[in-house]
Every structure is written in C-alpha cells, then in structure tokens.
Amino acid sequence: AMHMHMLRLDGTTLRAATRLAAQARCSVASCAGGGIYTRHYINLSNGVEAIDGLLSAGVAPEALGVCRIQSSQCESQDFSGLLANLDHDMMLHLALGHECRVYDFGSRGATWVADDGSAEPLYVPRAIWWGLEWWRYALNDIWRLPAQRTPILRGVNVERNFREALGRLSKKERRRVKYYRPFTRDGLQEVRLSGYYAPAETDGERQLHRSALLGLSDSLCRRAEVGGTGSGRGSGSEREVRGLALFDPVRMTGRAAGSSARAKLTRHSRDEEEDEEMRQAWAR
C-alpha cells in the first residue's frame, strides 16, 4: 500500500508547490504560539522544480535547504551510504522537533496501490519512498524515540532488513547520528520527516536546475540587501556576538608554545608537529 507519509503534488508543479508552501507558512507563523516550525529541503537535483512555487507562496528563502538522496544508493541498498548523506542541518532540525519536508520529482512512473485498493500510475522518486523511510527508521531507533513505526516499502514490511542494516553500521557511522540524540526535544515521539512528489518536468536538464538554484541565491541576496530577517547580512553582523573575531589564515601563520596561559605545552607541541607535517605534505 502507498505509505501515508508520501503526499502527492496534484496539478502543475508550481501551483501544487504553492499550495503546500502556503500550508507550511501557516505552521511557521504559529511557532510563537507553540506550533511546529517547518523547514523545506530540495532533493537535488530534480527537487529544484519546487523552488519557484515555494518562494511564490511566501516561504522565506532562509527556510529552504538542500539534501541529496541518490536513487542509485536506494537501488543498491547502500544503507551506510544513504545515512552518510543525511545532512547535519536536517538532523538538528529533526532532533529539535521541527517538521522537515523533502521535495523531489520523479522521472519514472509506476503503478501504486492505495490502502483502499485503488491503483494509479504515479511518479514517486525512489528517494521519497525508499530513502526517507530508511532515514526515518534509523533516526527513530538511534535516538531511542518511543514511536517505532514499522518501515514499509511498497506495502512490504522491511523491518527485518532495516534492523539488520542498523546492526551492520560501524561505530563511527552510528556515532555521527547519535551525536544529536542529546538535543532531542522532550516529548518528541518520532521524527517529523515527510516527502512530497510530482512528475518531473526538467529531469536531467542541469542548466535549468542551475538557473533555479541561482534564482534562490538571488532571493537570499535581495533579502540581505533590505535587511530581511537579519540572516545573510555581511559586514557588521559579527559585532553582535560578544568576543567574536575573524580568523585570518594569511596573517595568523602559526602558534607559539606557551602563548596561551590556559594551554598545556604538550598540546602545543603536538599542534606544532601537526602544523609542520601539513606544511611538508603541501610542499610535496
């Protein structure tokens, strides 16, 4: 059966994305009253088709992020590779209880059967129905969230497969995800991760994808020029953070042992050895 967390974008790409974005804007606006903040992620590269519609609906450019779920990794069941591509920005937002929406556009259609028995050809990218299900399961488990839903892929219970995949993860791979567990919000039952899809109109057209991303960049720049929400501002904003200083790698070429009253000489010696090794490596 079609998974309930896959939501279809009906109609043309921009109109559909606009409607969904309007709903998301409402949830963002209600944050001060205890609502859920929504962050939007464009799955590269076909997902860029959602950018214009989201911006037209009033979603702030700063609320858009990018992610990379590769269909080839889903097809080959590269569980560790998919988890390695799980973005730190997204993990932090999910841990804090925010809703993260991933947008992608499919180029290959397939017949999907809904829970009422009806069948329909849909263009659901593998990143949405496969990749997000694995991310959701892994995060819920590693963060020990109470609502452990059974993972379903095209109507098939794959919990055994996912459980075995978790067991094969290295300590380093688990530690990367586990790092965010202390930041999970009190009362969080499960990660709020959902996927939105529609048929692709620009599949493989890298120049169009580039133009869409440049359009997003221009929107960010315009908001920075007029002040926007304050994010993205350049000169002067760093003065708002007490004690903050700009590191200049040209002027600051090394550290002297004993230069810090708090630092131990053994630590400085080790740092100096590493600096010298790096200089020699670059010289070769």
Side-chain angles (χ1 to χ4, degrees):
M2 188 188 307
H3 198 280
M4 292 301 291
H5 272 264
M6 293 193 305
L7 303 177
R8 186 183 181 188
L9 292 171
D10 295 310
T12 64
T13 299
L14 294 182
R15 287 204 304 270
T18 298
R19 284 196 296 271
L20 291 168
Q23 298 170 9
R25 183 174 52 173
C26 293
S27 65
V28 172
S30 63
C31 279
I36 299 173
Y37 173 78
T38 301
R39 185 150 173 83
H40 310 266
Y41 291 88
I42 305 302
N43 191 48
L44 300 174
S45 51
N46 283 357
V48 301
E49 293 186 23
I51 292 176
D52 283 348
L54 292 171
L55 296 180
S56 297
V59 172
E62 296 88 349
L64 269 63
V66 297
C67 63
R68 183 83 167 105
I69 309 174
Q70 301 182 53
S71 59
S72 59
Q73 289 184 321
C74 298
E75 292 174 359
S76 62
Q77 299 187 31
D78 183 4
F79 292 97
S80 60
L82 284 164
L83 210 55
N85 281 337
L86 180 50
D87 181 68
H88 288 280
D89 180 81
M90 183 184 293
M91 280 196 284
L92 180 58
H93 279 283
L94 289 170
L96 295 174
H98 302 161
E99 178 188 2
C100 292
R101 297 181 176 186
V102 177
Y103 300 83
D104 202 3
F105 296 77
S107 59
R108 291 185 292 180
T111 300
W112 285 79
V113 181
D115 50 12
D116 61 359
S118 60
E120 185 179 5
L122 300 172
Y123 288 78
V124 189
R126 197 176 294 266
I128 298 295
W129 68 264
W130 207 110
L132 290 186
E133 192 74 352
W134 164 239
W135 279 4
R136 191 181 297 114
Y137 182 84
L139 292 176
N140 284 335
D141 184 271
I142 295 175
W143 291 349
R144 299 178 182 173
L145 299 180
Q148 292 290 340
R149 291 189 293 110
T150 301
I152 302 294
L153 295 181
R154 298 210 69 173
V156 178
N157 183 333
V158 294
E159 184 164 16
R160 179 178 177 180
N161 307 69
F162 280 13
R163 174 61 53 187
E164 292 174 351
L166 279 178
R168 293 193 300 268
L169 294 177
S170 67
K171 290 183 179 180
K172 181 179 180 180
E173 290 167 336
R174 290 186 67 93
R175 190 163 55 245
R176 177 178 179 271
V177 178
K178 187 179 177 182
Y179 174 83
Y180 293 93
R181 191 167 74 192
F183 304 127
T184 53
R185 183 178 295 276
D186 293 341
L188 183 64
Q189 297 297 303
E190 63 178 342
V191 294
R192 297 183 171 104
L193 180 61
S194 54
Y196 293 80
Y197 67 93
E201 298 176 356
T202 62
D203 180 54
E205 300 189 41
R206 291 299 179 87
Q207 193 59 39
L208 291 177
H209 296 164
R210 177 177 181 272
S211 297
L213 291 170
L214 287 173
L216 174 60
S217 174
D218 291 342
S219 297
L220 288 166
C221 292
R222 284 193 295 271
R223 286 177 66 82
E225 289 176 0
V226 298
T229 59
S231 60
R233 286 190 298 170
S235 178
S237 59
E238 71 281 357
R239 301 192 190 100
E240 302 299 322
V241 183
R242 180 177 58 84
L244 199 63
L246 172 67
F247 176 76
D248 187 344
V250 176
R251 294 180 60 249
M252 305 168 73
T253 57
R255 290 166 291 186
S259 59
S260 172
R262 299 179 183 177
K264 295 183 180 180
L265 289 176
T266 53
R267 174 64 182 272
H268 278 289
S269 299
R270 186 166 63 251
D271 289 343
E272 289 174 349
E273 291 175 1
E274 293 175 355
D275 290 346
E276 181 60 29
E277 291 176 359
M278 182 179 295
R279 281 192 287 267
Q280 292 177 3
W282 279 102
R284 288 196 292 268

